[in-house]
Amino acid sequence: MVVFVVGHIWRWRYDQFGWTSRSTQLQERRLLKWGAPLFHYSAFAAIAGHAIGILVPRSFTEWLGISERAYTLFSGIAGSVAAIGVLLGAGILIFRRMGVPRVRATTSGVDYLALVLLGIISVLGIYLTLGVQEFGGGYDYRTTVSVWFRSLFAGTPDHRAIGAAPVMYQVHATAAWMIFAVWPFSRLVHAWSYPLWYLWRPYVVYRDRRARPPHEPGTGGRKWRKIGVPY
């Protein structure tokens, strides 16, 4: 997290011209129009699901009248759909970057590393949600992973809680930390540059600029004629 914060400050101070998504839409559009929306919308859903599932304690959902079975079923289905969407979207984007020469020429090693880490996180998320929670023996991560994650914000990390979780949960969390460390040095920084000013900017007026033949005599594609003589 220190690298995440300090890295963003450094990037903003010394590389503002590089603070961009480095769009490759001009190089290739067909795969991008499918992969980018699928990846981004699925990632937003996955982030929201993690925030609800990890930050909200079980006591609060039980106070709302949501049973643990209903919560587990809903989180399993929604989380699996989001994870599969992220995996498919990232797969399309990885194939695009490796298979299209013009796009591959604009891709750095950090971009590949970020995509690989996202793929690892997505695969483990699908495994933990479907393989463990739904079709496996099940595991109540809200008593270990959630407790540890919430303790980070209190400034007193409960390492015993995450240490008691299965290894795959620890690997899943470690891959997420690696994404945070890579984030400031990749094109992921464009996530913080959402153009909110666009909502109140002045309107852009578009006017018709179709080419029309001028009205002067002799310039309409015909022979020269004497001025004042009707066509």
Side-chain angles (χ1 to χ4, degrees):
M1 295 309 295
V2 172
V3 175
F4 179 80
V5 175
V6 177
H8 276 91
I9 296 174
W10 173 86
R11 183 79 180 270
W12 180 254
R13 287 178 60 87
Y14 296 102
D15 189 30
Q16 287 193 27
F17 287 107
W19 190 289
T20 172
S21 64
R22 299 175 185 173
S23 175
T24 55
Q25 184 177 0
L26 294 178
Q27 282 77 21
E28 198 282 330
R29 297 186 180 183
R30 185 169 57 88
L31 293 173
L32 182 65
K33 76 174 183 179
W34 291 103
L38 179 60
F39 170 77
H40 283 87
Y41 288 128
S42 300
F44 292 150
I47 293 172
H50 279 70
I52 296 174
I54 297 179
L55 293 179
V56 178
R58 176 192 291 183
S59 59
F60 183 76
T61 55
E62 291 178 349
W63 178 75
L64 292 177
I66 302 175
S67 65
E68 188 63 19
R69 177 56 186 168
Y71 171 85
T72 303
L73 181 62
F74 174 79
S75 62
I77 295 174
S80 299
V81 171
I84 292 173
V86 171
L87 189 61
L88 291 177
I92 294 174
L93 296 178
I94 291 175
F95 172 79
R96 176 177 177 270
R97 293 204 167 272
M98 298 183 65
V100 180
R102 291 177 294 180
V103 179
R104 186 170 62 247
T106 64
T107 306
S108 64
V110 178
D111 296 327
Y112 284 120
L113 178 59
L115 288 172
V116 169
L117 290 174
L118 287 172
I120 293 174
I121 293 173
S122 301
V123 171
L124 286 176
I126 294 173
Y127 165 73
L128 295 175
T129 303
L130 294 180
V132 176
Q133 297 292 338
E134 297 299 324
F135 303 107
Y139 176 73
D140 189 6
Y141 63 89
R142 303 179 80 184
T143 60
T144 55
V145 180
S146 298
V147 174
W148 162 76
F149 191 73
R150 290 195 299 270
S151 69
L152 299 177
F153 296 93
T156 56
D158 189 351
H159 60 89
R160 293 184 179 84
I162 190 65
V167 175
M168 287 295 99
Y169 283 91
Q170 300 179 22
V171 175
H172 186 62
T174 303
W177 289 128
M178 294 179 66
I179 277 287
F180 283 119
V182 170
W183 195 307
F185 313 105
S186 68
R187 67 182 64 208
L188 294 175
V189 294
H190 77 278
W192 314 119
S193 300
Y194 191 84
L196 293 176
W197 58 267
Y198 192 86
L199 298 176
W200 54 79
R201 68 166 177 80
Y203 290 106
V204 178
V205 180
Y206 293 92
R207 292 184 173 89
D208 192 359
R209 298 285 294 180
R210 294 181 184 177
R212 295 186 176 89
H215 298 290
E216 294 80 9
T219 58
R222 305 181 184 182
K223 295 181 179 180
W224 285 92
R225 297 197 180 191
K226 187 177 181 180
I227 295 177
V229 177
Y231 283 15

